[in-house]
Amino acid sequence: MNYDRRQRKPSFLALCGGLLAAAAVGLSAYASHGVGDGQAQSNLQTAALFGFGHGLALAALGAGTTRRMGKAALSLLLLGTLLFASSLVAGAMVGTSTRLAPAGGIMLMLGWVLWAIDAIRR
């Protein structure tokens, strides 16, 4: 991986990862200090954990990924995290169903498997 900033192009996936991690920090703080219901607090903390972890992965891996399969894997991680976390957040904040969370979780698992396949093919 080349870290010379002048030779790298901006990365939308890395940008999204940084923003996702930042939002997760705020969500975690809100869950800890602004929510009284235990189940809602647990769901928000889970959403924040997944958002921060996958945001960090996207921020770290996004800029150096040039292969199509790697970009597809990271895109699945981004979409899966957004679907999973937003379903939990909506359930905790407005009482909607969290039925979309499993679909987001499956996208996350597929994204990591695709990332692993791309890594072994390099």
Side-chain angles (χ1 to χ4, degrees):
M1 206 184 283
N2 188 351
Y3 290 105
D4 184 4
R5 185 181 165 123
R6 293 169 292 181
Q7 293 179 359
R8 290 191 321 190
K9 294 179 182 177
S11 171
F12 177 73
L13 289 168
L15 168 73
C16 289
L19 294 174
L20 189 58
V25 171
L27 182 60
S28 180
Y30 176 72
S32 294
H33 304 292
V35 179
D37 178 48
Q39 183 61 46
Q41 187 178 37
S42 176
N43 283 354
L44 291 175
Q45 286 290 6
T46 299
L49 175 67
F50 274 74
F52 187 79
H54 288 91
L56 185 61
L58 288 168
L61 301 173
T65 303
T66 57
R67 295 168 50 109
R68 248 190 304 175
M69 187 179 287
K71 287 183 180 186
L74 295 180
S75 294
L76 274 173
L77 290 182
L78 176 60
L79 293 174
T81 303
L82 291 173
L83 190 59
F84 179 82
S86 64
S87 182
L88 291 180
V89 169
M93 303 284 270
V94 293
T96 61
S97 171
T98 59
R99 69 175 179 254
L100 296 177
I106 290 169
M107 290 176 81
L108 287 168
M109 289 184 279
L110 289 174
W112 282 116
V113 168
L114 194 58
W115 180 262
I117 291 169
D118 184 54
I120 200 73
R121 293 180 65 201
R122 286 184 212 152

